[in-house]
């Protein structure tokens, strides 16, 4: 499904500039989404 791949923003920020550009291009095509770390948590995992 398009856009079903989610990359954590915190991880994205650690990548080399070339990889960040590649992922931004994929995001603009709707292939993935770069999400804040808070969105990456599963419900109930903070207990």
């Amino acid at each position: 499904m398009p856009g079903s791949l989610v990359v954590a923003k915190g991880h994205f920020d650690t990548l080399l500039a070339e990889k960040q550009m590649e992922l931004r291009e994929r995001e603009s095509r709707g292939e993935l989404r770069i999400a804040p770390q808070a969105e990456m948590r599963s419900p109930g995992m903070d207990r």
Side-chain angles (χ1 to χ4, degrees):
M1 175 158 64
S4 61
L5 177 64
V6 180
V7 176
K9 176 77 168 95
H11 175 69
F12 174 85
D13 291 341
T14 68
L15 299 173
L16 296 174
E18 295 86 16
K19 188 65 175 176
Q20 287 185 7
M21 279 193 333
E22 176 188 329
L23 292 177
R24 285 289 185 199
E25 288 172 7
R26 291 182 65 189
E27 182 182 42
S28 71
R29 292 191 303 262
E31 296 176 7
L32 62 85
R33 188 169 64 89
I34 299 169
Q37 190 67 34
E39 288 184 28
M40 302 303 291
R41 292 204 163 119
S42 297
M45 295 298 291
D46 291 330
R47 294 180 192 177

